[in-house]
Amino acid sequence: MKLTKTFNSFFNNEKSGGLLLLFVTICSLYLANSAYSTEYVAFWEKDLGGHSITHWINDGLMTIFFLLIGLELEREIYHGELSNIKNASLPIMAAIGGMLVPAGIFLALNYGTATQNGAGIPMATDIAFAIGILSLLGNKVPSSLKVFLTALAVIDDLGAIIVIAVFYTSSIAFINLAIALGIWILLFVLNRMKIHNLIPYLIGGAIMWYFMLNSGVHATITGVILAFVIPFGDGGEKTSSYRLQHFLHKPVSFIILPLFAIANTCIAIDSDWHEGLNHPNTFGIILGLVLGKPLGIVLFSSIGVTAGLCALPKNLKWSHILGAGMLGGIGFTMSIFITILAFTDHETIVFSKIAILIASVLSGLFGFTFLKLILKKKKSAKQ
């Protein structure tokens, strides 16, 4: 399978970004549990214009991350793996299973409790980390597996966005929401009028973000819906969509996501941290990500293939799907993001983050080790 220039650029950026995320997360956890712990944690909670620095990162900068996700999703729909229903059906089925089964495991343990709202936490896959781990296996990885995991993670992100919009919106200020949607319609009209200058879209997007922030719907949704009114054209390098996507890749991968990771993993871990792992919430997160993700991805992929809805691409085996499913259990960014929306209790948030970190490390290790073994056997068989 020949990979496009756009896909290779995307894959390489996500690979480097994933490795950087790992590094800054380790640094943040170290500082949060060092002699500078109090000052370090206090810095991220410092008030800046009525909100903490962490809040500005989560509700402000992460909107740009979601804008990039929207642009990538649009490109996949028009020209990428999702443009052909036959190609898209397998990662779509896998993503559905990878969301429903982990959520089901979590709800089985938490339904009717104060933490049932966290069902969305184990549904997410961190695309940067997953691709970053896969890249460590080098050129032994089949191109079809790279495409499958990337498409799976992009669809997974879309699912997470829908979950955030539908289930993590508490109350709605309809006037502000109507103004935000009115601005979106205006930008859509500009799109239809073939106005390709990015400035009115970015200004309109910033105003739309403000009203969305005050509407009750999470402000980061602005990024996704803004992406779909930015002119796509033929998808070429001179189009507005391509130029913006290309421009955002590095700032998002090397500034915004690392800042999010640093701000949200400054967790002071007490000596009794392991006691929180006995709670159904943390147990549900770990089981959902480590077990539920690969189980759901393989199960639903198998159902899709058996029912004739999709087919395994050339050079892709069921062992590859299982390995990709294990890497899908790396929740991190999106899981932490949903945790912040799902809970208000500080202790619950901290223990949930610890559970996400444990599950993501286990999933990464299992996925990497399993894929390394099967790819090594494949190489030996050829020799």
Side-chain angles (χ1 to χ4, degrees):
M1 178 184 287
K2 187 177 179 180
L3 300 181
T4 65
K5 180 181 175 182
T6 304
F7 179 86
N8 278 321
S9 174
F10 170 80
F11 188 86
N12 289 329
N13 272 332
E14 294 297 325
K15 172 180 71 177
S16 304
L19 297 177
L20 178 60
L21 276 180
L22 179 61
F23 175 73
V24 298
T25 299
I26 292 170
C27 290
S28 183
L29 286 168
Y30 172 77
L31 288 171
N33 293 278
S34 68
Y36 307 100
S37 175
T38 303
E39 295 85 354
Y40 180 68
V41 174
F43 170 79
W44 296 107
E45 296 303 318
K46 189 178 293 184
D47 185 86
L48 191 67
H51 296 289
S52 68
I53 294 175
T54 300
H55 187 272
W56 281 115
I57 291 170
N58 293 346
D59 281 32
L61 289 181
M62 285 297 283
T63 302
I64 301 173
F65 164 72
F66 279 92
L67 170 59
L68 179 60
I69 289 295
L71 292 169
E72 289 165 352
L73 181 63
E74 182 183 40
R75 182 164 298 279
E76 285 293 319
I77 290 171
Y78 286 125
H79 284 308
E81 191 70 9
L82 305 183
S83 61
N84 183 310
I85 189 61
K86 187 177 179 181
N87 293 337
S89 55
L90 183 64
I92 288 173
M93 286 296 293
I96 292 171
M99 289 184 282
L100 293 181
V101 174
I105 289 174
F106 184 93
L107 284 174
L109 296 168
N110 290 270
Y111 186 75
T113 70
T115 53
Q116 71 172 16
N117 204 33
I121 298 171
M123 294 173 70
T125 294
D126 189 295
I127 189 169
F129 262 130
I131 290 176
I133 297 297
L134 186 65
S135 70
L136 296 177
L137 295 165
N139 56 14
K140 294 180 290 185
V141 179
S143 57
S144 53
L145 179 56
K146 294 179 183 179
V147 171
F148 173 77
L149 181 60
T150 303
L152 166 67
V154 169
I155 298 165
D156 201 295
D157 278 339
L158 174 62
I161 290 162
I162 294 171
V163 166
I164 290 169
V166 175
F167 296 103
Y168 294 105
T169 297
S170 52
S171 59
I172 298 176
F174 287 100
I175 293 178
N176 286 328
L177 180 60
I179 293 172
L181 294 178
I183 294 170
W184 185 85
I185 291 171
L186 177 61
L187 295 178
F188 177 78
V189 172
L190 294 180
N191 179 304
R192 296 291 92 189
M193 292 172 64
K194 300 188 183 302
I195 295 176
H196 298 285
N197 191 314
L198 279 170
I199 292 176
Y201 295 99
L202 298 180
I203 292 175
I207 299 171
M208 182 167 60
W209 173 84
Y210 172 80
F211 285 103
M212 194 71 81
L213 179 69
N214 292 284
S215 71
V217 177
H218 203 271
T220 51
I221 301 300
T222 306
V224 180
I225 63 174
L226 175 61
F228 282 86
V229 294
I230 291 174
F232 185 81
D234 62 2
E237 294 185 8
K238 294 183 179 179
T239 60
S240 303
S241 177
Y242 180 92
R243 286 188 288 114
L244 183 58
Q245 182 180 347
H246 183 73
F247 173 80
L248 290 178
H249 259 308
K250 284 184 171 59
V252 167
S253 296
F254 301 111
I255 298 174
I256 293 174
L257 287 181
L259 275 175
F260 175 84
I262 293 169
N264 288 281
T265 56
C266 55
I267 307 167
I269 301 175
D270 296 325
S271 57
D272 61 345
W273 64 270
H274 55 279
E275 293 181 7
L277 299 181
N278 295 324
H279 195 279
N281 172 56
T282 48
F283 199 50
I285 291 172
I286 293 172
L287 268 185
L289 287 170
V290 177
L291 179 63
K293 270 288 181 182
L295 178 61
I297 287 170
V298 172
L299 178 62
F300 274 63
S301 295
S302 177
I303 292 172
V305 170
T306 303
L309 300 173
C310 45
L312 280 180
K314 188 178 179 181
N315 298 328
L316 202 63
K317 299 180 179 179
W318 285 111
S319 55
H320 294 140
I321 300 291
L322 178 56
M326 292 176 182
L327 293 181
I330 306 174
F332 200 71
T333 304
M334 291 301 290
S335 292
I336 290 176
F337 193 82
I338 294 174
T339 296
I340 297 164
L341 300 178
F343 304 126
T344 54
D345 178 65
H346 176 72
E347 188 177 72
T348 302
I349 291 174
V350 168
F351 283 130
S352 296
K353 287 181 179 180
I354 291 173
I356 291 166
L357 291 174
I358 291 171
S360 296
V361 169
L362 289 175
S363 295
L365 286 173
F366 292 158
F368 176 80
T369 304
F370 180 76
L371 285 172
K372 187 174 183 179
L373 286 172
I374 64 169
L375 292 174
K376 186 177 180 180
K377 285 181 180 178
K378 182 181 177 183
K379 188 177 179 181
S380 300
K382 282 185 176 181
Q383 292 175 344

